[in-house]
Amino acid sequence: MARFQARPREDGRGPYRWAHVVKTAQGFAQGTIYHQSGDDLSEADTRELRALCDRMGFELRRAS
């Protein structure tokens, strides 16, 4: 189980901040000021999240 952070890839309009990835009933989302700690994701969730970030143009990093 691991926690991750995501942000849009740099496109010259940034800077963009890293936000924790949370799992919702609708799928994955970036955390907000109301939900700042990221959720622990399983290996299957991690693979799905990586594919989604690649497809949607987001950078992904593992949070410590």
Side-chain angles (χ1 to χ4, degrees), residues 7-32:
R7 73 175 181 182
R9 287 197 182 108
E10 288 298 330
D11 58 2
R13 290 184 270 169
Y16 299 111
R17 293 183 182 191
W18 290 98
H20 286 282
V21 175
V22 295
K23 193 167 182 182
T24 66
Q26 292 81 26
F28 298 108
Q30 287 184 292
T32 65

